[in-house]
Amino acid sequence: LTLITSGKAREAFDLTKETDAMRDQYGRNTFGQSLLLARRLAEAGTRVVEVIWPKVANSDNHSWDVHSDLSKRMKTQSAPMFDTGLSALITDMDQRGLLEDTLVVAIREFGRSPQRGLSTSGNSNPADGRDHWPYCYTACLFGAGVKRGFVYGKSDKTASGPLENPVHPNDLLATIYHAMGINPGTIVFNHLSQPRELVKGGVVGGVFA
C-alpha cells in the first residue's frame, strides 16, 4: 500500500525516464519493455513482479498456442525477442547491483514434443509443429546467490526426458523459496485451518554458490 500511495510505482511505469539506448537494449516490443518496467518496479521496492510472454510474440499475433511453422517462428521471432530482452534484464540488473538480493526466474509451463507432427495433447499438430510436452523443459534462475554460468541437470539427446539430476516442479519451488530466505518446509494453515508444508517433498537444488 505504501508503495502505491507513495507514487514510486506510478513513476516506475513512466518508461520515458529511460534513455533511448536503454529502451533499445531491451527491445522495442511488448516483452522487452515489460522487462524494463520490471527492473524499474524492483528498484522502486516492489517485492514480486511477473512478466507474461505476450500474445504478439506468436505467429498470428493473437493466439497463444500456435503450432504451425513453429521452427521458423522460434528462429526468427520468438527466440530473438526472448534472448534480447532477458539478456538485457540480467546485464542491467547486474550492473546496478540488483542481482545481489533479487531472484530472476524464467520458466514456462511445459516443453515441446521431441517429435514433429505428433499430437500429444489432442491439438491439431502439422508437420512443422511440436505439441505440449510436460516431461522435460528448462528453467533459468539468476541472482540471489545462484551460481553464475552453471547448468544443473541434463536431458537425453532428444529432450524427451531428464537424464541427470532431474528436477521436479516441487524442487524448483523449494529452491525459489530458499533463495527468498523462506524455509520450504515451513508449516502453513489452509482455509480449513489444517497444517500443510509450504512445499511438500521439495528438495532445494544445488544451484547456489
Side-chain angles (χ1 to χ4, degrees):
L1 181 61
T2 302
L3 177 63
I4 296 173
T5 57
S6 69
K8 289 184 178 179
R10 182 177 64 250
E11 294 174 4
F13 275 92
D14 186 2
L15 295 182
T16 62
K17 295 184 180 296
E18 297 288 337
T19 65
D20 286 340
M22 180 60 72
R23 297 191 68 178
D24 291 342
Q25 183 177 338
Y26 276 83
R28 293 283 186 155
N29 51 67
T30 302
F31 182 65
Q33 298 304 290
S34 295
L35 291 176
L36 177 55
L37 174 57
R39 187 267 285 165
R40 291 178 59 82
L41 286 170
E43 281 186 310
T46 305
R47 297 295 299 275
V48 179
V49 182
E50 182 179 14
V51 176
I52 304 296
W53 184 246
K55 293 180 179 180
V56 73
N58 293 312
S59 63
D60 58 3
N61 296 332
H62 75 275
S63 174
W64 69 275
D65 188 23
V66 179
H67 296 181
S68 61
D69 252 359
L70 195 147
S71 298
K72 177 183 176 181
R73 289 187 293 107
M74 177 61 71
K75 182 178 181 180
T76 63
Q77 188 171 0
S78 299
M81 184 184 298
F82 181 81
D83 289 345
T84 298
L86 185 62
S87 61
L89 174 67
I90 299 308
T91 301
D92 192 13
M93 293 189 69
D94 191 27
Q95 292 175 345
R96 294 170 185 269
L98 292 172
L99 282 185
E100 294 180 9
D101 55 6
T102 305
L103 178 68
V104 179
V105 180
I107 191 172
R108 59 182 303 161
E109 73 273 35
F110 51 76
R112 289 292 183 180
S113 57
Q115 185 175 338
R116 299 184 187 204
L118 177 68
S119 178
T120 59
S121 65
N123 288 313
S124 174
N125 209 32
D128 191 41
R130 296 171 63 194
D131 207 351
H132 303 179
W133 191 257
Y135 310 105
C136 188
Y137 53 103
T138 302
C140 300
L141 278 68
F142 309 90
V146 172
K147 296 178 184 178
R148 292 172 179 251
F150 180 70
V151 178
Y152 185 85
K154 180 180 179 180
S155 72
D156 59 22
K157 64 180 182 180
T158 61
S160 300
L163 190 63
E164 299 175 5
N165 296 323
V167 177
H168 188 276
N170 281 6
D171 300 334
L172 177 62
L173 186 56
T175 301
I176 292 171
Y177 274 122
H178 178 80
M180 296 170 64
I182 300 173
N183 183 351
T186 299
I187 300 298
V188 295
F189 293 87
N190 65 13
H191 64 291
L192 298 176
S193 298
Q194 298 168 324
R196 295 288 186 270
E197 293 175 80
L198 195 58
V199 182
K200 186 174 180 60
V203 177
V204 175
V207 296
F208 296 99

